[in-house]
C-alpha cells in the first residue's frame, strides 16, 4: 500500500516495465532444441522427449558454454503469455509490432532455464536441473541474450 499526499488512500497504482526494443527472445525446450540436444549427446531417436532424465549429466558442458557468454548483471525474464505481445494501454491509438526470436541452441536454452529464478537471470547463479525449471517457457527483451542467440544462429 502506497500512501501519497497526491492520491486519496487506497488508490490503486499500476506500473508497467515497457521493453526498450520490440524484439523478444523466447526460451523453451521446443522440439528443435530437444532434437539438437539428443543429436549432440548421441542419444537414440525418441529419447529427446525426457530431457530431464539426462540434463543432470550436462552440468560441466553447460558451465563451460555459460562461461563463454561472459554475461554481467541481472537479466529480466517473464513467463511466455500470448497477451504480453499486445499493447494493453487502451488510450494508445497505435499497436506496436513485436518480433519474436526462437533460439534452438540447446546449451543456451538449458543455461537460461536452469539459471533463472523468479523472473531474474543472474550470471553467477548455479544450475538447477530439476524438471520444473526445464519445463518453463520464458521471454526476454534483453539485448545481450538476443545478440547471443543471433550469433549462435549465424554460426550454424
Amino acid at each position: 500500500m502506497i500512501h501519497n499526499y497526491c492520491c486519496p488512500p487506497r488508490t490503486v497504482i499500476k506500473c508497467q516495465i515497457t521493453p526498450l526494443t520490440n524484439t523478444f527472445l523466447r526460451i523453451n525446450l521446443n522440439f528443435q532444441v530437444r532434437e539438437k540436444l539428443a543429436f549432440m549427446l548421441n542419444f537414440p531417436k525418441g529419447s529427446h522427449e525426457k530431457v530431464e532424465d539426462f540434463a543432470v549429466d550436462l552440468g560441466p558442458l553447460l558451465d563451460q558454454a555459460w562461461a563463454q557468454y561472459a554475461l554481467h548483471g541481472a537479466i529480466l525474464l517473464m513467463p511466455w503469455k500470448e497477451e504480453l505481445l499486445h499493447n494493453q494501454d487502451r488510450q494508445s491509438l497505435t499497436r506496436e509490432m513485436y518480433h519474436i526470436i526462437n533460439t534452438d541452441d540447446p546449451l543456451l536454452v538449458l543455461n537460461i532455464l536452469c539459471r533463472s529464478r523468479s523472473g531474474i537471470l543472474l550470471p553467477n547463479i548455479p544450475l538447477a536441473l530439476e524438471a520444473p525449471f526445464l519445463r518453463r517457457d520464458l521471454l526476454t527483451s534483453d539485448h545481450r541474450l538476443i545478440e547471443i542467440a543471433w550469433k549462435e544462429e549465424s554460426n550454424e
Side-chain angles (χ1 to χ4, degrees):
M1 183 75 55
I2 298 175
H3 293 286
N4 189 337
Y5 294 112
C6 300
C7 300
R10 307 214 189 292
T11 301
V12 177
I13 298 173
K14 294 182 181 180
C15 70
Q16 180 180 0
I17 300 173
T18 56
L20 297 175
T21 179
N22 64 345
T23 302
F24 287 89
L25 177 64
R26 187 173 179 185
I27 304 119
N28 63 2
L29 283 173
N30 58 29
F31 183 76
Q32 289 86 4
V33 173
R34 291 173 188 265
E35 285 267 315
K36 281 190 169 187
L37 189 59
F39 179 75
M40 180 189 322
L41 299 173
N42 295 321
F43 283 148
K45 191 170 184 168
S47 65
H48 62 276
E49 293 302 323
K50 294 186 179 179
V51 175
E52 300 89 6
D53 295 343
F54 55 85
V56 178
D57 300 330
L58 293 172
L61 184 61
L62 291 172
D63 287 335
Q64 181 183 9
W66 191 246
Q68 293 176 355
Y69 299 140
L71 292 169
H72 299 285
I75 296 171
L76 183 64
L77 300 168
M78 57 191 127
W80 167 262
K81 292 180 183 172
E82 195 66 39
E83 58 267 14
L84 287 174
L85 301 179
H86 303 293
N87 193 351
Q88 299 295 326
D89 184 8
R90 294 176 187 214
Q91 296 174 349
S92 176
L93 297 176
T94 61
R95 248 195 196 169
E96 296 183 45
M97 297 300 294
Y98 294 104
H99 181 231
I100 307 296
I101 301 168
N102 289 314
T103 182
D104 59 353
D105 176 25
L107 298 179
L108 178 62
V109 170
L110 284 172
N111 266 311
I112 294 171
L113 291 176
C114 296
R115 293 181 192 277
S116 62
R117 313 282 194 278
S118 303
I120 301 288
L121 174 62
L122 297 172
N124 59 351
I125 202 158
L127 289 168
L129 295 163
E130 292 82 21
F133 289 102
L134 295 171
R135 292 187 185 129
R136 296 182 293 170
D137 195 350
L138 302 174
L139 191 70
T140 186
S141 63
D142 193 282
H143 66 91
R144 296 170 288 180
L145 290 179
I146 292 171
E147 287 175 11
I148 291 171
W150 273 338
K151 284 180 189 174
E152 297 297 323
E153 189 175 301
S154 63
N155 287 341
E156 294 176 0

